[in-house]
């Protein structure tokens, strides 16, 4: 796949010299450098899944308390969201 890479003048000069010394193209050297860089990278990022075995078994009994802690003692209301939207539009 074709792409564009911007190099500093010094890096371009040094790349040209290295390519001549090795009798290879600049593109080959760039591809090789990228392959070396990516050799240690995972092929695809893996998702981090939550661990459910450490859940507090009493959580279902404390749902209201946890929600109040997260949303505040007054809880959540749609008007709070609408008020913040109106403020952010200014």
């Amino acid at each position: 796949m074709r792409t564009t890479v911007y190099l500093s003048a010094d890096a371009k000069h040094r790349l040209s010299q290295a390519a001549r010394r090795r009798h290879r193209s600049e593109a080959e050297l760039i591809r090789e450098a990228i392959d070396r860089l990516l050799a240690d990278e995972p092929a695809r990022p893996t998702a981090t899944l939550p661990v459910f075995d450490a859940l507090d078994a009493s959580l279902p009994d404390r749902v209201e308390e946890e929600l109040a802690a997260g949303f505040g003692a007054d809880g959540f209301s749609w008007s709070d969201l609408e008020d913040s939207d109106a403020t952010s539009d200014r």
Side-chain angles (χ1 to χ4, degrees), residues 6-16:
Y6 293 93
L7 303 173
S8 67
D10 180 58
K12 172 66 170 128
H13 177 72
R14 292 172 60 205
L15 177 62
S16 295

Side-chain angles (χ1 to χ4, degrees), residues 24-39:
R24 297 174 65 193
S25 71
E26 293 177 13
E28 285 179 287
L29 296 182
I30 291 169
R31 284 191 294 269
E32 183 180 313
I34 291 171
D35 287 343
R36 285 184 190 170
L37 173 73
L38 298 178

Side-chain angles (χ1 to χ4, degrees), residues 63-85:
V63 168
E64 295 300 323
E65 293 170 31
E66 295 296 327
L67 289 174
F71 288 114
D74 295 334
F76 172 80
S77 89
W78 286 106
S79 64
D80 293 339
L81 184 60
E82 291 163 358
D83 292 343
S84 68
D85 285 345

